Amino acid sequence: AKSNLAGNKLLKKAPPQDKPWLQQLHHSMAQNYSNLGQRANAVNSWQAARQLGDNEGLLRSLINELHAAQAKPNELEPAVNEYNQK
């Protein structure tokens, strides 16, 4: 929890300019939120990581998180369809 507080402070005050570093920050925060059971925050962090450079692993993690969050089918379907196209 403390690591995500620090991550959020960093994102607000001085977000990293290096895209791979910023993506890794969102990735780590998403994993932390997931471990804490904060599904909505985890989904937001996975989406932020994907915006900086998408790959199959990030999309798969987003789908898993949406499923764990018991997302409605209309929220989950676009991500699953995108995954099936890749």
Side-chain angles (χ1 to χ4, degrees):
K2 288 184 180 182
S3 60
N4 279 5
L5 289 175
N8 280 321
K9 281 184 183 180
L10 179 64
L11 288 171
K12 287 180 184 176
K13 289 185 177 187
Q17 298 302 310
D18 181 49
K19 282 188 178 184
W21 198 96
L22 183 57
Q23 183 183 40
Q24 182 58 45
L25 176 62
H26 285 295
H27 183 274
S28 296
M29 290 177 67
Q31 288 178 323
N32 290 341
Y33 282 131
S34 182
N35 291 338
L36 293 169
Q38 296 181 11
R39 303 296 180 198
N41 290 333
V43 166
N44 290 337
S45 290
W46 286 122
Q47 290 170 335
R50 288 188 69 213
Q51 289 175 353
L52 295 165
D54 199 13
N55 63 53
E56 184 179 325
L58 291 174
L59 180 55
R60 188 172 44 248
S61 294
L62 174 63
I63 292 168
N64 287 336
E65 201 62 52
L66 286 166
H67 181 264
Q70 299 178 343
K72 295 178 183 175
N74 64 331
E75 296 169 327
L76 188 56
E77 185 178 15
V80 172
N81 288 341
E82 182 181 344
Y83 184 82
N84 287 333
Q85 291 175 355
K86 290 189 175 194

